[in-house]
Amino acid sequence: METIEYMGKTFSVDEDGFIDDFNNWCPEWEQWVKTVEGIEEINDEHRKLVTVLRDYYEKNGIAPMVRILSKVTGFKLKHIYELYPSGPGKGACKMAGLPKPTGCV
Amino acid sequence: MAKHETPLIDQLESGPWPSFVSDLKQEAESRAKNEKNIEYQIPQDCCDDLLGVLELSYKHGRTHWKHGGIVGVFGYGGGVIGRYCDQPEMFPGVAHFHTMRVSQPAGKYYTTKYIEDICDLWERRGSGLTNMHGATGDIIFLGTTTPQLEEVFWELGHNLNQDLGGSGSNLRTPSDCLGESRCEFACFDTQAICHDLTNEYQDELHRPAFPYKFKFKFDGCPNCCVAAIARSDLAFIGTWRDDIRIDQEAVKAYIGGEIPPNAGAHAGRDWGPFDIQKEVIDLCPTKCMRYEDGKLEINTPECTRCMHCINVMPRALRVGNDKGASLMVGAKAPILDGAQMATLLVPFIKVEPPYTEIKETVIEPIWDWWMEEGKNRERLGELIKREGMQKLLEVTGFKADPRMIQEPRSNPYVFWKADEVPGGFERDINEFRKFHQR
């Protein structure tokens, strides 16, 4: 585990920069992820995705499928990539403080 | 002098087969010498450390790579398989050892110039090690660090006009047999459609939007040289509808021993003189052939186009002129609910550019259904099992056909739709009681 100090906060992350614990997420974490995921400015649409992801994870214990994320937010996949260039998994889930996606990726 | 002692894997340098250990050592040595003065962008000794970690795994009988890894390039959701060593202090050269999938040309034909160009790039920004090719077809760049991913991607795209392949829950890199490029059995241009569909569905390939992975493969004939029937969710297998073309003179030449059967494939052993009755007629699965009075005849309506007679006598028998493909769906490896080979969906379809019919009546309806109904990490083959082949026919609009089944069901648990049953399903128990007392 590496540690990152940013805006007065300390975060533990894995090699891929995912946060160690969903509960350690905070607004400063979002700002940090912004700097490494190719995002210029966090706007309401970025926040909407983060909120949906965090709500879904709290309720279901997993990240939503891409299709569900699109349906709930109303954002097409193309738009999600405009907001998060690394995509919903590496980009948005990382910012939302969700665990790292697994499986045959 | 090697960086690590590797007594176990050193044993794999003996024997006649090309040794991957010797090749790894050669690359390790070449990087140590660096005769071309390359500015290595990842540890110069990464090949030594790879040998070291592999030796340790041989000793322990366990892998030494950490679980998973999520890395990539901006704009794409796949293409790179992240990997980190679980002994980074011992083997710093492979602390990061990510794999990049690079999309390969259909049929895997190359020029030396192209190969040299990608080698130059990978020598500088990666380990210099590759897998030619991954089982799905990609060129595999084996081992680099996270900061190099965008650099490699930039050079691939800008200097080599080359894209990444697919990974994740998306359309994976399509691949094909070499088709009409050098095979007289090919019933459609496998390379052309492989290339066309790869380009058509770039978005689906680079940005995971599916419930799980999805693969296309293209085989020019039922010999299945790229194993489409076993290794792809949608398999294209070439076939024909008219007669097998018979050259009677060439048949006689086979019988006379002038042409070796199976193009000489069994020449390593004496199987006796060619016997057309024993080796062709009697082995035909539908027994639709006969050889009488010096003439070979095939009863086409009974022929299932298994390829056997054509394979045995390629200079005498040729596939028909009315060519196309059968499309088969649902093949997958065992996880989760058992291995499946593909099942026939479209008995015959013409395969001609721009492939509109295939795209609009097969691929896209299947995707629409599976994207909507597929559960998380459920392959198409499993969705077909769960919701039924009938459902697949409904969403694609193909009519049920005896060719789609090997045998009819043996159980009587038959579902009917309400509108197929006179009176429908809404019934009043009181009406029933008027005729049947409790």
PDB file of all heavy atoms in Angstrom, chain A residues 15-16 36-38 65-67 71 77 81 85-86 90 100-102 104-105, chain B residues 66 69-71 74-75 77 84 167 172 207-209 213 371-372 374 376-377:
ATOM      1  N   GLU A  15      -1.574  -0.238  -6.148  1.00  0.00           N
ATOM      2  CA  GLU A  15      -0.726   0.157  -7.287  1.00  0.00           C
ATOM      3  C   GLU A  15      -1.506   0.897  -8.357  1.00  0.00           C
ATOM      4  O   GLU A  15      -0.944   1.711  -9.093  1.00  0.00           O
ATOM      5  CB  GLU A  15      -0.101  -1.072  -7.951  1.00  0.00           C
ATOM      6  CG  GLU A  15       0.951  -1.784  -7.137  1.00  0.00           C
ATOM      7  CD  GLU A  15       0.353  -2.935  -6.358  1.00  0.00           C
ATOM      8  OE1 GLU A  15      -0.882  -2.947  -6.136  1.00  0.00           O
ATOM      9  OE2 GLU A  15       1.130  -3.817  -5.947  1.00  0.00           O
ATOM     10  N   ASP A  16      -2.783   0.569  -8.484  1.00  0.00           N
ATOM     11  CA  ASP A  16      -3.573   1.180  -9.540  1.00  0.00           C
ATOM     12  C   ASP A  16      -4.243   2.463  -9.082  1.00  0.00           C
ATOM     13  O   ASP A  16      -5.030   3.050  -9.815  1.00  0.00           O
ATOM     14  CB  ASP A  16      -4.632   0.181 -10.037  1.00  0.00           C
ATOM     15  CG  ASP A  16      -3.992  -1.002 -10.741  1.00  0.00           C
ATOM     16  OD1 ASP A  16      -3.026  -0.786 -11.483  1.00  0.00           O
ATOM     17  OD2 ASP A  16      -4.450  -2.133 -10.529  1.00  0.00           O
ATOM     18  N   VAL A  36      -5.162  12.612 -11.663  1.00  0.00           N
ATOM     19  CA  VAL A  36      -4.522  11.460 -12.297  1.00  0.00           C
ATOM     20  C   VAL A  36      -5.388  10.817 -13.385  1.00  0.00           C
ATOM     21  O   VAL A  36      -4.913   9.953 -14.113  1.00  0.00           O
ATOM     22  CB  VAL A  36      -4.135  10.366 -11.257  1.00  0.00           C
ATOM     23  CG1 VAL A  36      -3.004  10.855 -10.379  1.00  0.00           C
ATOM     24  CG2 VAL A  36      -5.325   9.922 -10.430  1.00  0.00           C
ATOM     25  N   GLU A  37      -6.642  11.229 -13.498  1.00  0.00           N
ATOM     26  CA  GLU A  37      -7.520  10.566 -14.463  1.00  0.00           C
ATOM     27  C   GLU A  37      -7.898  11.457 -15.645  1.00  0.00           C
ATOM     28  O   GLU A  37      -8.920  11.220 -16.302  1.00  0.00           O
ATOM     29  CB  GLU A  37      -8.776  10.029 -13.755  1.00  0.00           C
ATOM     30  CG  GLU A  37      -8.502   8.787 -12.899  1.00  0.00           C
ATOM     31  CD  GLU A  37      -7.953   7.607 -13.716  1.00  0.00           C
ATOM     32  OE1 GLU A  37      -8.262   7.492 -14.909  1.00  0.00           O
ATOM     33  OE2 GLU A  37      -7.190   6.815 -13.138  1.00  0.00           O
ATOM     34  N   GLY A  38      -7.092  12.476 -15.875  1.00  0.00           N
ATOM     35  CA  GLY A  38      -7.302  13.281 -17.078  1.00  0.00           C
ATOM     36  C   GLY A  38      -8.581  14.098 -17.075  1.00  0.00           C
ATOM     37  O   GLY A  38      -9.187  14.305 -18.122  1.00  0.00           O
ATOM     38  N   MET A  65     -23.696  -2.506 -13.366  1.00  0.00           N
ATOM     39  CA  MET A  65     -23.287  -2.764 -14.744  1.00  0.00           C
ATOM     40  C   MET A  65     -23.341  -1.455 -15.514  1.00  0.00           C
ATOM     41  O   MET A  65     -24.128  -0.569 -15.182  1.00  0.00           O
ATOM     42  CB  MET A  65     -24.227  -3.791 -15.393  1.00  0.00           C
ATOM     43  CG  MET A  65     -24.106  -5.185 -14.815  1.00  0.00           C
ATOM     44  SD  MET A  65     -25.475  -6.229 -15.321  1.00  0.00           S
ATOM     45  CE  MET A  65     -25.105  -6.478 -17.048  1.00  0.00           C
ATOM     46  N   VAL A  66     -22.520  -1.368 -16.562  1.00  0.00           N
ATOM     47  CA  VAL A  66     -22.446  -0.137 -17.357  1.00  0.00           C
ATOM     48  C   VAL A  66     -23.836   0.303 -17.835  1.00  0.00           C
ATOM     49  O   VAL A  66     -24.181   1.477 -17.804  1.00  0.00           O
ATOM     50  CB  VAL A  66     -21.512  -0.353 -18.566  1.00  0.00           C
ATOM     51  CG1 VAL A  66     -21.607   0.806 -19.533  1.00  0.00           C
ATOM     52  CG2 VAL A  66     -20.086  -0.536 -18.092  1.00  0.00           C
ATOM     53  N   ARG A  67     -24.635  -0.678 -18.243  1.00  0.00           N
ATOM     54  CA  ARG A  67     -25.953  -0.374 -18.783  1.00  0.00           C
ATOM     55  C   ARG A  67     -26.847   0.288 -17.735  1.00  0.00           C
ATOM     56  O   ARG A  67     -27.589   1.222 -18.022  1.00  0.00           O
ATOM     57  CB  ARG A  67     -26.570  -1.689 -19.241  1.00  0.00           C
ATOM     58  CG  ARG A  67     -27.606  -1.581 -20.273  1.00  0.00           C
ATOM     59  CD  ARG A  67     -28.019  -2.957 -20.751  1.00  0.00           C
ATOM     60  NE  ARG A  67     -28.667  -3.756 -19.742  1.00  0.00           N
ATOM     61  CZ  ARG A  67     -28.152  -4.842 -19.182  1.00  0.00           C
ATOM     62  NH1 ARG A  67     -26.939  -5.238 -19.518  1.00  0.00           N
ATOM     63  NH2 ARG A  67     -28.803  -5.511 -18.281  1.00  0.00           N
ATOM     64  N   LYS A  71     -28.485   4.022 -17.661  1.00  0.00           N
ATOM     65  CA  LYS A  71     -29.933   4.196 -17.498  1.00  0.00           C
ATOM     66  C   LYS A  71     -30.246   5.150 -16.356  1.00  0.00           C
ATOM     67  O   LYS A  71     -31.053   6.059 -16.494  1.00  0.00           O
ATOM     68  CB  LYS A  71     -30.565   2.837 -17.195  1.00  0.00           C
ATOM     69  CG  LYS A  71     -31.362   2.277 -18.358  1.00  0.00           C
ATOM     70  CD  LYS A  71     -32.095   1.022 -17.927  1.00  0.00           C
ATOM     71  CE  LYS A  71     -32.408   0.175 -19.140  1.00  0.00           C
ATOM     72  NZ  LYS A  71     -32.722  -1.205 -18.769  1.00  0.00           N
ATOM     73  N   LEU A  77     -22.794   5.961 -22.882  1.00  0.00           N
ATOM     74  CA  LEU A  77     -21.417   5.550 -22.583  1.00  0.00           C
ATOM     75  C   LEU A  77     -20.404   6.562 -23.141  1.00  0.00           C
ATOM     76  O   LEU A  77     -19.406   6.882 -22.502  1.00  0.00           O
ATOM     77  CB  LEU A  77     -21.161   4.160 -23.163  1.00  0.00           C
ATOM     78  CG  LEU A  77     -19.828   3.514 -22.754  1.00  0.00           C
ATOM     79  CD1 LEU A  77     -19.722   3.359 -21.247  1.00  0.00           C
ATOM     80  CD2 LEU A  77     -19.660   2.156 -23.427  1.00  0.00           C
ATOM     81  N   TYR A  81     -17.392   8.588 -21.088  1.00  0.00           N
ATOM     82  CA  TYR A  81     -15.968   8.688 -21.434  1.00  0.00           C
ATOM     83  C   TYR A  81     -15.530  10.143 -21.624  1.00  0.00           C
ATOM     84  O   TYR A  81     -14.364  10.471 -21.400  1.00  0.00           O
ATOM     85  CB  TYR A  81     -15.639   7.872 -22.689  1.00  0.00           C
ATOM     86  CG  TYR A  81     -15.375   6.410 -22.388  1.00  0.00           C
ATOM     87  CD1 TYR A  81     -16.402   5.484 -22.351  1.00  0.00           C
ATOM     88  CD2 TYR A  81     -14.082   5.955 -22.122  1.00  0.00           C
ATOM     89  CE1 TYR A  81     -16.164   4.152 -22.070  1.00  0.00           C
ATOM     90  CE2 TYR A  81     -13.834   4.627 -21.842  1.00  0.00           C
ATOM     91  CZ  TYR A  81     -14.879   3.725 -21.817  1.00  0.00           C
ATOM     92  OH  TYR A  81     -14.632   2.402 -21.528  1.00  0.00           O
ATOM     93  N   PRO A  85     -12.165  10.038 -18.976  1.00  0.00           N
ATOM     94  CA  PRO A  85     -11.477   9.454 -20.130  1.00  0.00           C
ATOM     95  C   PRO A  85     -11.068   7.996 -19.930  1.00  0.00           C
ATOM     96  O   PRO A  85     -10.958   7.254 -20.893  1.00  0.00           O
ATOM     97  CB  PRO A  85     -10.240  10.332 -20.294  1.00  0.00           C
ATOM     98  CG  PRO A  85     -10.599  11.623 -19.652  1.00  0.00           C
ATOM     99  CD  PRO A  85     -11.544  11.299 -18.537  1.00  0.00           C
ATOM    100  N   SER A  86     -10.847   7.576 -18.687  1.00  0.00           N
ATOM    101  CA  SER A  86     -10.481   6.172 -18.459  1.00  0.00           C
ATOM    102  C   SER A  86     -11.686   5.257 -18.419  1.00  0.00           C
ATOM    103  O   SER A  86     -11.535   4.058 -18.252  1.00  0.00           O
ATOM    104  CB  SER A  86      -9.752   6.013 -17.125  1.00  0.00           C
ATOM    105  OG  SER A  86      -8.544   6.684 -17.164  1.00  0.00           O
ATOM    106  N   LYS A  90     -12.151   2.354 -14.462  1.00  0.00           N
ATOM    107  CA  LYS A  90     -10.906   2.913 -13.953  1.00  0.00           C
ATOM    108  C   LYS A  90     -11.068   4.380 -13.544  1.00  0.00           C
ATOM    109  O   LYS A  90     -10.404   4.847 -12.611  1.00  0.00           O
ATOM    110  CB  LYS A  90      -9.812   2.801 -15.026  1.00  0.00           C
ATOM    111  CG  LYS A  90      -8.468   3.332 -14.583  1.00  0.00           C
ATOM    112  CD  LYS A  90      -7.386   2.991 -15.600  1.00  0.00           C
ATOM    113  CE  LYS A  90      -6.070   3.649 -15.246  1.00  0.00           C
ATOM    114  NZ  LYS A  90      -5.998   5.043 -15.679  1.00  0.00           N
ATOM    115  N   LYS A 100     -11.583  -1.801  -6.618  1.00  0.00           N
ATOM    116  CA  LYS A 100     -11.075  -1.996  -7.981  1.00  0.00           C
ATOM    117  C   LYS A 100     -11.885  -3.069  -8.710  1.00  0.00           C
ATOM    118  O   LYS A 100     -12.174  -4.121  -8.151  1.00  0.00           O
ATOM    119  CB  LYS A 100      -9.620  -2.431  -7.859  1.00  0.00           C
ATOM    120  CG  LYS A 100      -8.908  -2.670  -9.144  1.00  0.00           C
ATOM    121  CD  LYS A 100      -7.424  -2.491  -8.985  1.00  0.00           C
ATOM    122  CE  LYS A 100      -6.722  -3.696  -8.393  1.00  0.00           C
ATOM    123  NZ  LYS A 100      -5.287  -3.440  -8.217  1.00  0.00           N
ATOM    124  N   PRO A 101     -12.271  -2.801  -9.969  1.00  0.00           N
ATOM    125  CA  PRO A 101     -12.962  -3.839 -10.748  1.00  0.00           C
ATOM    126  C   PRO A 101     -12.090  -5.095 -10.867  1.00  0.00           C
ATOM    127  O   PRO A 101     -10.868  -4.997 -10.959  1.00  0.00           O
ATOM    128  CB  PRO A 101     -13.154  -3.194 -12.125  1.00  0.00           C
ATOM    129  CG  PRO A 101     -13.078  -1.731 -11.871  1.00  0.00           C
ATOM    130  CD  PRO A 101     -12.123  -1.561 -10.727  1.00  0.00           C
ATOM    131  N   THR A 102     -12.718  -6.252 -10.870  1.00  0.00           N
ATOM    132  CA  THR A 102     -11.972  -7.508 -10.973  1.00  0.00           C
ATOM    133  C   THR A 102     -12.517  -8.335 -12.130  1.00  0.00           C
ATOM    134  O   THR A 102     -13.441  -7.931 -12.815  1.00  0.00           O
ATOM    135  CB  THR A 102     -12.122  -8.353  -9.694  1.00  0.00           C
ATOM    136  OG1 THR A 102     -13.508  -8.607  -9.501  1.00  0.00           O
ATOM    137  CG2 THR A 102     -11.550  -7.647  -8.498  1.00  0.00           C
ATOM    138  N   CYS A 104     -11.921 -10.904 -15.636  1.00  0.00           N
ATOM    139  CA  CYS A 104     -11.115 -11.019 -16.845  1.00  0.00           C
ATOM    140  C   CYS A 104     -11.156  -9.694 -17.580  1.00  0.00           C
ATOM    141  O   CYS A 104     -11.957  -9.510 -18.479  1.00  0.00           O
ATOM    142  CB  CYS A 104     -11.693 -12.141 -17.692  1.00  0.00           C
ATOM    143  SG  CYS A 104     -10.729 -12.561 -19.113  1.00  0.00           S
ATOM    144  N   VAL A 105     -10.338  -8.733 -17.149  1.00  0.00           N
ATOM    145  CA  VAL A 105     -10.417  -7.391 -17.717  1.00  0.00           C
ATOM    146  C   VAL A 105      -9.270  -7.131 -18.669  1.00  0.00           C
ATOM    147  O   VAL A 105      -9.054  -6.085 -19.114  1.00  0.00           O
ATOM    148  CB  VAL A 105     -10.429  -6.316 -16.617  1.00  0.00           C
ATOM    149  CG1 VAL A 105     -11.673  -6.424 -15.792  1.00  0.00           C
ATOM    150  CG2 VAL A 105      -9.210  -6.434 -15.729  1.00  0.00           C
TER     151      VAL A 105
ATOM    152  N   LYS B  66       0.399 -10.532  -8.342  1.00  0.00           N
ATOM    153  CA  LYS B  66      -0.723 -10.107  -7.495  1.00  0.00           C
ATOM    154  C   LYS B  66      -2.040 -10.227  -8.234  1.00  0.00           C
ATOM    155  O   LYS B  66      -2.072 -10.341  -9.452  1.00  0.00           O
ATOM    156  CB  LYS B  66      -0.530  -8.633  -7.089  1.00  0.00           C
ATOM    157  CG  LYS B  66       0.601  -8.407  -6.118  1.00  0.00           C
ATOM    158  CD  LYS B  66       0.571  -6.967  -5.659  1.00  0.00           C
ATOM    159  CE  LYS B  66       1.803  -6.667  -4.818  1.00  0.00           C
ATOM    160  NZ  LYS B  66       1.806  -5.261  -4.369  1.00  0.00           N
ATOM    161  N   GLY B  69      -5.447  -5.953 -11.550  1.00  0.00           N
ATOM    162  CA  GLY B  69      -4.694  -4.794 -12.026  1.00  0.00           C
ATOM    163  C   GLY B  69      -5.559  -4.012 -12.988  1.00  0.00           C
ATOM    164  O   GLY B  69      -6.068  -4.566 -13.942  1.00  0.00           O
ATOM    165  N   ILE B  70      -5.760  -2.718 -12.701  1.00  0.00           N
ATOM    166  CA  ILE B  70      -6.597  -1.886 -13.570  1.00  0.00           C
ATOM    167  C   ILE B  70      -5.759  -0.722 -14.067  1.00  0.00           C
ATOM    168  O   ILE B  70      -5.540   0.258 -13.351  1.00  0.00           O
ATOM    169  CB  ILE B  70      -7.826  -1.350 -12.810  1.00  0.00           C
ATOM    170  CG1 ILE B  70      -8.764  -2.496 -12.452  1.00  0.00           C
ATOM    171  CG2 ILE B  70      -8.579  -0.327 -13.646  1.00  0.00           C
ATOM    172  CD1 ILE B  70      -9.481  -3.135 -13.613  1.00  0.00           C
ATOM    173  N   VAL B  71      -5.241  -0.879 -15.287  1.00  0.00           N
ATOM    174  CA  VAL B  71      -4.525   0.209 -15.939  1.00  0.00           C
ATOM    175  C   VAL B  71      -5.064   0.313 -17.356  1.00  0.00           C
ATOM    176  O   VAL B  71      -5.776  -0.572 -17.815  1.00  0.00           O
ATOM    177  CB  VAL B  71      -3.004  -0.031 -15.962  1.00  0.00           C
ATOM    178  CG1 VAL B  71      -2.396   0.125 -14.585  1.00  0.00           C
ATOM    179  CG2 VAL B  71      -2.677  -1.405 -16.538  1.00  0.00           C
ATOM    180  N   PHE B  74      -6.218   6.607 -21.783  1.00  0.00           N
ATOM    181  CA  PHE B  74      -7.394   7.466 -21.783  1.00  0.00           C
ATOM    182  C   PHE B  74      -8.220   7.241 -23.058  1.00  0.00           C
ATOM    183  O   PHE B  74      -7.663   7.134 -24.149  1.00  0.00           O
ATOM    184  CB  PHE B  74      -6.991   8.937 -21.690  1.00  0.00           C
ATOM    185  CG  PHE B  74      -6.517   9.324 -20.316  1.00  0.00           C
ATOM    186  CD1 PHE B  74      -5.606  10.357 -20.138  1.00  0.00           C
ATOM    187  CD2 PHE B  74      -6.994   8.671 -19.188  1.00  0.00           C
ATOM    188  CE1 PHE B  74      -5.172  10.720 -18.877  1.00  0.00           C
ATOM    189  CE2 PHE B  74      -6.572   9.029 -17.921  1.00  0.00           C
ATOM    190  CZ  PHE B  74      -5.651  10.060 -17.764  1.00  0.00           C
ATOM    191  N   GLY B  75      -9.514   7.177 -22.870  1.00  0.00           N
ATOM    192  CA  GLY B  75     -10.418   7.015 -24.002  1.00  0.00           C
ATOM    193  C   GLY B  75     -10.899   5.591 -24.174  1.00  0.00           C
ATOM    194  O   GLY B  75     -11.944   5.365 -24.764  1.00  0.00           O
ATOM    195  N   GLY B  77     -11.592   1.642 -22.408  1.00  0.00           N
ATOM    196  CA  GLY B  77     -11.841   0.924 -21.158  1.00  0.00           C
ATOM    197  C   GLY B  77     -11.141  -0.415 -21.107  1.00  0.00           C
ATOM    198  O   GLY B  77     -11.298  -1.164 -20.150  1.00  0.00           O
ATOM    199  N   TYR B  84       1.123  -6.899 -11.440  1.00  0.00           N
ATOM    200  CA  TYR B  84       2.189  -6.507 -10.518  1.00  0.00           C
ATOM    201  C   TYR B  84       2.750  -7.748  -9.834  1.00  0.00           C
ATOM    202  O   TYR B  84       1.998  -8.632  -9.428  1.00  0.00           O
ATOM    203  CB  TYR B  84       1.656  -5.552  -9.444  1.00  0.00           C
ATOM    204  CG  TYR B  84       1.005  -4.311 -10.006  1.00  0.00           C
ATOM    205  CD1 TYR B  84      -0.372  -4.249 -10.178  1.00  0.00           C
ATOM    206  CD2 TYR B  84       1.775  -3.211 -10.378  1.00  0.00           C
ATOM    207  CE1 TYR B  84      -0.979  -3.115 -10.716  1.00  0.00           C
ATOM    208  CE2 TYR B  84       1.186  -2.074 -10.905  1.00  0.00           C
ATOM    209  CZ  TYR B  84      -0.195  -2.033 -11.068  1.00  0.00           C
ATOM    210  OH  TYR B  84      -0.783  -0.910 -11.597  1.00  0.00           O
ATOM    211  N   SER B 167     -10.156  -5.896 -24.407  1.00  0.00           N
ATOM    212  CA  SER B 167     -10.188  -6.688 -23.179  1.00  0.00           C
ATOM    213  C   SER B 167     -11.322  -6.156 -22.323  1.00  0.00           C
ATOM    214  O   SER B 167     -11.762  -5.034 -22.510  1.00  0.00           O
ATOM    215  CB  SER B 167      -8.858  -6.613 -22.431  1.00  0.00           C
ATOM    216  OG  SER B 167      -8.719  -5.366 -21.795  1.00  0.00           O
ATOM    217  N   ARG B 172     -14.251  -8.520 -28.082  1.00  0.00           N
ATOM    218  CA  ARG B 172     -12.811  -8.769 -28.121  1.00  0.00           C
ATOM    219  C   ARG B 172     -12.327  -8.753 -29.569  1.00  0.00           C
ATOM    220  O   ARG B 172     -13.128  -8.815 -30.500  1.00  0.00           O
ATOM    221  CB  ARG B 172     -12.521 -10.120 -27.469  1.00  0.00           C
ATOM    222  CG  ARG B 172     -12.963 -10.199 -26.002  1.00  0.00           C
ATOM    223  CD  ARG B 172     -12.171  -9.236 -25.153  1.00  0.00           C
ATOM    224  NE  ARG B 172     -12.541  -9.333 -23.747  1.00  0.00           N
ATOM    225  CZ  ARG B 172     -12.006 -10.205 -22.897  1.00  0.00           C
ATOM    226  NH1 ARG B 172     -11.121 -11.080 -23.303  1.00  0.00           N
ATOM    227  NH2 ARG B 172     -12.367 -10.202 -21.625  1.00  0.00           N
ATOM    228  N   ARG B 207     -14.661   0.190 -25.670  1.00  0.00           N
ATOM    229  CA  ARG B 207     -15.344   0.701 -24.465  1.00  0.00           C
ATOM    230  C   ARG B 207     -16.351  -0.321 -23.969  1.00  0.00           C
ATOM    231  O   ARG B 207     -17.441  -0.451 -24.522  1.00  0.00           O
ATOM    232  CB  ARG B 207     -16.041   2.017 -24.804  1.00  0.00           C
ATOM    233  CG  ARG B 207     -15.023   3.061 -25.185  1.00  0.00           C
ATOM    234  CD  ARG B 207     -15.660   4.358 -25.537  1.00  0.00           C
ATOM    235  NE  ARG B 207     -14.634   5.388 -25.607  1.00  0.00           N
ATOM    236  CZ  ARG B 207     -14.873   6.650 -25.911  1.00  0.00           C
ATOM    237  NH1 ARG B 207     -16.086   7.041 -26.175  1.00  0.00           N
ATOM    238  NH2 ARG B 207     -13.885   7.515 -25.928  1.00  0.00           N
ATOM    239  N   PRO B 208     -15.992  -1.040 -22.936  1.00  0.00           N
ATOM    240  CA  PRO B 208     -16.862  -2.110 -22.441  1.00  0.00           C
ATOM    241  C   PRO B 208     -18.280  -1.602 -22.150  1.00  0.00           C
ATOM    242  O   PRO B 208     -18.462  -0.710 -21.340  1.00  0.00           O
ATOM    243  CB  PRO B 208     -16.171  -2.555 -21.147  1.00  0.00           C
ATOM    244  CG  PRO B 208     -14.736  -2.176 -21.336  1.00  0.00           C
ATOM    245  CD  PRO B 208     -14.751  -0.924 -22.157  1.00  0.00           C
ATOM    246  N   ALA B 209     -19.252  -2.183 -22.848  1.00  0.00           N
ATOM    247  CA  ALA B 209     -20.646  -1.785 -22.641  1.00  0.00           C
ATOM    248  C   ALA B 209     -21.532  -3.014 -22.524  1.00  0.00           C
ATOM    249  O   ALA B 209     -22.743  -2.895 -22.473  1.00  0.00           O
ATOM    250  CB  ALA B 209     -21.114  -0.920 -23.818  1.00  0.00           C
ATOM    251  N   LYS B 213     -17.798 -10.503 -21.897  1.00  0.00           N
ATOM    252  CA  LYS B 213     -17.049 -10.483 -23.152  1.00  0.00           C
ATOM    253  C   LYS B 213     -17.854 -11.087 -24.300  1.00  0.00           C
ATOM    254  O   LYS B 213     -18.783 -11.875 -24.081  1.00  0.00           O
ATOM    255  CB  LYS B 213     -15.721 -11.216 -22.988  1.00  0.00           C
ATOM    256  CG  LYS B 213     -15.892 -12.679 -22.648  1.00  0.00           C
ATOM    257  CD  LYS B 213     -14.543 -13.386 -22.496  1.00  0.00           C
ATOM    258  CE  LYS B 213     -14.117 -13.532 -21.067  1.00  0.00           C
ATOM    259  NZ  LYS B 213     -13.009 -14.456 -20.855  1.00  0.00           N
ATOM    260  N   MET B 371     -27.646  -7.315 -24.279  1.00  0.00           N
ATOM    261  CA  MET B 371     -27.296  -6.141 -23.457  1.00  0.00           C
ATOM    262  C   MET B 371     -28.416  -5.780 -22.511  1.00  0.00           C
ATOM    263  O   MET B 371     -28.187  -5.239 -21.438  1.00  0.00           O
ATOM    264  CB  MET B 371     -26.946  -4.948 -24.356  1.00  0.00           C
ATOM    265  CG  MET B 371     -25.575  -5.086 -25.002  1.00  0.00           C
ATOM    266  SD  MET B 371     -25.254  -3.795 -26.192  1.00  0.00           S
ATOM    267  CE  MET B 371     -24.943  -2.411 -25.092  1.00  0.00           C
ATOM    268  N   GLU B 372     -29.649  -6.063 -22.933  1.00  0.00           N
ATOM    269  CA  GLU B 372     -30.787  -5.720 -22.099  1.00  0.00           C
ATOM    270  C   GLU B 372     -31.066  -6.809 -21.056  1.00  0.00           C
ATOM    271  O   GLU B 372     -31.348  -6.533 -19.901  1.00  0.00           O
ATOM    272  CB  GLU B 372     -32.021  -5.524 -22.998  1.00  0.00           C
ATOM    273  CG  GLU B 372     -33.206  -4.876 -22.318  1.00  0.00           C
ATOM    274  CD  GLU B 372     -32.873  -3.544 -21.695  1.00  0.00           C
ATOM    275  OE1 GLU B 372     -32.096  -2.761 -22.292  1.00  0.00           O
ATOM    276  OE2 GLU B 372     -33.376  -3.286 -20.588  1.00  0.00           O
ATOM    277  N   GLY B 374     -29.040  -9.772 -20.474  1.00  0.00           N
ATOM    278  CA  GLY B 374     -27.897 -10.496 -19.915  1.00  0.00           C
ATOM    279  C   GLY B 374     -27.609 -10.048 -18.491  1.00  0.00           C
ATOM    280  O   GLY B 374     -27.628  -8.859 -18.191  1.00  0.00           O
ATOM    281  N   ASN B 376     -25.101  -9.720 -15.112  1.00  0.00           N
ATOM    282  CA  ASN B 376     -23.696  -9.355 -14.967  1.00  0.00           C
ATOM    283  C   ASN B 376     -22.836 -10.611 -15.165  1.00  0.00           C
ATOM    284  O   ASN B 376     -23.057 -11.622 -14.521  1.00  0.00           O
ATOM    285  CB  ASN B 376     -23.481  -8.765 -13.578  1.00  0.00           C
ATOM    286  CG  ASN B 376     -22.191  -7.983 -13.493  1.00  0.00           C
ATOM    287  OD1 ASN B 376     -21.570  -7.672 -14.513  1.00  0.00           O
ATOM    288  ND2 ASN B 376     -21.766  -7.687 -12.283  1.00  0.00           N
ATOM    289  N   ARG B 377     -21.875 -10.517 -16.089  1.00  0.00           N
ATOM    290  CA  ARG B 377     -20.962 -11.623 -16.404  1.00  0.00           C
ATOM    291  C   ARG B 377     -21.678 -12.888 -16.860  1.00  0.00           C
ATOM    292  O   ARG B 377     -21.337 -13.999 -16.471  1.00  0.00           O
ATOM    293  CB  ARG B 377     -20.045 -11.917 -15.233  1.00  0.00           C
ATOM    294  CG  ARG B 377     -19.096 -10.763 -15.029  1.00  0.00           C
ATOM    295  CD  ARG B 377     -17.896 -11.074 -14.218  1.00  0.00           C
ATOM    296  NE  ARG B 377     -17.109  -9.856 -14.128  1.00  0.00           N
ATOM    297  CZ  ARG B 377     -16.345  -9.530 -13.113  1.00  0.00           C
ATOM    298  NH1 ARG B 377     -16.228 -10.339 -12.094  1.00  0.00           N
ATOM    299  NH2 ARG B 377     -15.663  -8.415 -13.131  1.00  0.00           N
TER     300      ARG B 377
END
